[in-house]
Amino acid sequence: GVICDLTGFAASLYKRGAAVQFVPTTLLSMVDASIGGKTGCDFKSYKNMIGSFFPAQKICYFPEFISTLSEAQFRSGLAEAFKTALLYDAELSDMFRTKSSQILSREPEIICTIIQKCSKAKAEVVEKDFTEKNIRKYLNLGHTFGHALETLAGLGTVTHGDAVAWGIGRAVSLSAKLDFCKESYKDEVLHILSLYGWDVNPVPKIASGGGISERLIQIMHKDKKNKSDKISIVLQRGLTDTFTQEVEDGDILPVLR
């Protein structure tokens, strides 16, 4: 994912745009990062602050790479795949719920299904909203919280996927707190997250020190998607029913304690 971002960014600048092709070798890149032309890099500990939109001319998939990944990198990609399921694919969401052992053991057929479903879903969204003016923003489910955790812990300390998985739990908890979704939906999402060993605690285990909640919110205010003094967060009314909402700090704090 990082290599796709940096290479795509360099290609977008060289001679005002040089053709680039990707061969993603991680699950995270296959299901998400290599698709859609978002390029860039982090700046002063903040995620993806410098970048451009520049799609690859071609993306070549070799699912065989998945068997070579460390457990941490495999789970990191799974988190983005689960996010895509919550956003667009009830069947895939049910697969995460009922076939966790097959997924975690990396059965080739089910991994190929996950890659196909996720790449198709993201490509369709990007085609409709390439520069993220409306519906593409939904792909950031869990990311406002997750990016804050990555920054707080120190970039690279926690995998992107583990941070996003924790962020998804906080996003659905906030949705339930604000009465946008039912408690049963929140509980179902948290249950699936726990099946894969992702952190569902309000205060993430990776974080240390005092005032964690306040520090996370302070970082969330730096998110480039914010347009006012409130924090813009992707929330859900239920499975595949997603929207963005500007939220006050006082409403976010309870789901971080």
Side-chain angles (χ1 to χ4, degrees):
V2 171
I3 292 173
C4 285
D5 264 13
L6 291 177
T7 306
F9 187 38
S12 74
L13 297 175
Y14 184 67
K15 295 187 176 181
R16 296 194 179 95
V20 63
Q21 298 182 12
F22 291 152
V23 184
T25 57
T26 65
L27 183 59
L28 177 61
S29 191
M30 290 182 193
V31 301
D32 187 81
S34 67
I35 309 161
K38 268 190 177 181
T39 77
C41 58
D42 304 329
F43 180 68
K44 292 188 175 180
S45 297
Y46 295 109
K47 292 284 290 183
N48 302 323
M49 293 301 280
I50 301 173
S52 60
F53 290 97
F54 194 76
Q57 187 182 64
K58 181 188 292 185
I59 305 173
C60 301
Y61 291 90
F62 296 91
E64 294 84 356
F65 278 118
I66 303 305
S67 64
T68 72
L69 298 178
S70 68
E71 190 63 22
Q73 286 302 319
F74 175 65
R75 282 163 26 90
S76 183
L78 277 184
E80 287 284 6
F82 180 54
K83 174 209 74 177
T84 303
L86 294 179
L87 291 174
Y88 305 115
D89 196 324
E91 182 181 284
L92 183 57
S93 179
D94 190 59
M95 189 183 300
F96 269 95
R97 182 177 62 84
T98 62
K99 298 186 177 182
S100 58
S101 60
Q102 295 98 312
I103 292 172
L104 289 171
S105 62
R106 312 189 198 188
E107 290 188 5
E109 185 176 347
I110 202 166
I111 294 302
C112 283
T113 299
I114 289 172
I115 293 170
Q116 288 170 351
K117 282 179 167 287
C118 290
S119 58
K120 182 175 183 291
K122 182 167 184 181
E124 288 177 351
V125 171
V126 169
E127 187 175 3
K128 295 174 184 175
D129 181 22
F130 180 59
T131 56
E132 198 170 301
K133 300 300 183 185
N134 45 73
I135 61 171
R136 186 170 178 171
K137 293 178 182 178
Y138 298 163
L139 292 167
N140 292 301
L141 177 65
H143 282 61
T144 303
F145 287 103
H147 283 168
L149 175 57
E150 288 181 274
T151 298
L152 179 66
L155 296 178
T157 302
V158 57
T159 67
H160 177 67
D162 279 354
V164 166
W166 173 79
I168 290 171
R170 295 308 87 215
V172 295
S173 296
L174 181 58
S175 297
K177 178 189 177 297
L178 297 176
D179 294 324
F180 290 126
C181 77
K182 295 180 180 179
E183 286 286 330
S184 58
Y185 178 67
K186 178 202 74 173
D187 293 342
E188 178 72 9
V189 173
L190 293 179
H191 169 67
I192 297 174
L193 289 169
S194 66
L195 288 177
Y196 294 85
W198 288 313
D199 192 347
V200 296
N201 294 292
V203 177
K205 295 175 183 177
I206 192 71
S208 61
I212 297 296
S213 305
E214 290 78 9
R215 288 158 65 193
L216 285 167
I217 287 180
Q218 184 179 23
I219 296 168
M220 289 165 71
H221 273 288
K222 302 288 186 180
D223 193 289
K224 60 185 178 297
K225 295 182 293 297
N226 295 328
K227 303 299 182 184
S228 70
D229 59 351
K230 297 180 182 180
I231 298 174
S232 179
I233 304 180
V234 180
L235 302 175
Q236 289 197 298
R237 300 182 186 90
L239 185 61
T240 71
D241 188 355
T242 311
F243 64 103
T244 58
Q245 181 77 19
E246 289 191 324
V247 185
E248 299 275 3
D249 293 7
D251 288 324
I252 300 171
L253 275 171
V255 304
L256 294 176
R257 288 176 170 168

